[in-house]
Amino acid sequence: MKKAFTGFLFLSGLLLIQPLSAGPVSREDRADIKTIGTIVVDGGNLQEFRMGINIVKTSVLVKSWEKDELAVLQTGNRFLGGIHPVNVDQSRSGDKLVLTLTRDHSFGMGIRIGRIDMTIFVPREWDGRLELHDLNMETRVEGLHTGVLSGSMKLAGLTIADSDFRFVDFDMGGDAKFRAENVRSDSWHIRGALGSIYAKDIRGTVNAETLDGNISIDYADFQGSSRLVSKMGKVSVFLPADSELELSLSSRLESVRTDFPVTGLVAESNEHQIIGTIGSSGHRLTAHSVFEKVLVYSKEN
């Protein structure tokens, strides 16, 4: 009873120091990028230490629009407590624009309940390099057509959808998950740690590696020499039935399976390793796991 009463007093104290009125949250920032070749969005300074209850759902959406300038629009609602838009500080160096996201205070206490949605609009005709670093909130890139998309995510996942690039390059730290759907890129380089890598309907030369996360590819048109490696996770690949690839599949401790008719099998092929060709020789896929299975099946199954 005493502990419950003490907790009630603590919660009451937090409520007393909070503004109780609800209301909208909004902010808009714009930038001229006609001479900009690289845009960096840096969320490394968004970390905040807070005592009390903090339920603020945040998200980032990056998408293209018809205007010739960059815009960052934040909208949301404050249900309880002091919730403010993120500061967007701009700095330029040569043809690079850096957007640094910060908060007014790195320490806070009390109760906050609400949400903030950030949308970054990129001109449709812009064909430069976009870097996203440590945004610390679930991030989605949608309908973008730029030269390069790269960056690093440590605490939150990244989804890319309905986009075209020449190069995609990301480091996914911690358990951050990477997801791509209907994306074309000449070259992919995805490095994960504990989080999974999932891709559906993609095209290009794909190099993906994780420590403990699974790698799942659902319908892919692999180009060149692609490589999928998960040390402790499973590697699963579903391909069109008419795929033509040189295969090198292996698992140190688990089985390797495919339902494709593999020709030209080398002598070392067994339940832990398959090396051969499906269709005529052309592009190449290497898939490997140490502790889990490696599966390559046709899409119809």
Side-chain angles (χ1 to χ4, degrees), residues 135 138-139 144 194 236 246 285 287:
L135 296 185
E138 289 296 323
T139 301
L144 210 60
L194 306 179
S236 304
E246 295 178 15
L285 172 63

Side-chain angles (χ1 to χ4, degrees), residues 57-76:
K57 182 176 177 58
T58 58
S59 66
V60 176
L61 172 64
V62 183
K63 62 186 300 185
S64 62
W65 68 344
E66 298 300 332
K67 297 184 179 180
D68 61 358
E69 61 181 344
L70 177 82
V72 181
L73 177 64
Q74 298 180 65
T75 59

Side-chain angles (χ1 to χ4, degrees), residues 106-217:
S106 59
F107 172 81
M109 63 182 300
I111 301 175
R112 296 193 311 174
I113 301 176
R115 67 172 294 126
I116 294 179
D117 298 313
M118 176 185 294
T119 304
I120 302 175
F121 293 96
V122 179
R124 184 176 299 277
E125 301 302 322
W126 187 74
D127 190 35
R129 180 186 185 96
L130 176 62
E131 298 183 16
L132 307 175
H133 293 287
D134 302 333
L135 296 185
N136 194 24
M137 49 187 105
E138 289 296 323
T139 301
R140 181 180 177 87
V141 176
E142 181 179 281
L144 210 60
H145 308 276
T146 64
V148 177
L149 178 68
S150 67
S152 58
M153 306 288 284
K154 293 180 180 178
L155 300 176
L158 172 69
T159 298
I160 309 173
D162 306 321
S163 299
D164 289 280
F165 308 98
R166 290 191 298 273
F167 189 62
V168 175
D169 185 4
F170 269 91
D171 284 302
M172 308 297 291
D175 61 353
K177 298 178 181 179
F178 179 90
R179 185 181 183 94
E181 298 183 36
N182 188 28
V183 179
R184 304 292 180 266
S185 179
D186 293 342
S187 181
W188 300 71
H189 289 270
I190 310 299
R191 294 164 295 277
L194 306 179
S196 62
I197 296 175
Y198 172 81
K200 180 179 181 180
D201 189 15
I202 63 170
R203 184 182 190 275
T205 301
V206 181
N207 287 278
E209 183 172 355
T210 69
L211 174 63
D212 194 24
N214 294 331
I215 298 178
S216 301
I217 310 294

Side-chain angles (χ1 to χ4, degrees), residues 43-58:
N45 295 316
L46 282 175
Q47 298 293 335
E48 181 183 32
F49 178 75
R50 190 165 192 87
M51 296 178 62
I53 300 174
N54 187 43
I55 307 175
V56 180
K57 182 176 177 58
T58 58

Side-chain angles (χ1 to χ4, degrees), residues 237-241 258-260 296-301:
V237 181
F238 292 88
L239 298 172
T258 182
D259 64 349
F260 281 97
V296 176
Y297 290 130
S298 59
K299 178 60 179 178
E300 286 72 15
N301 287 353

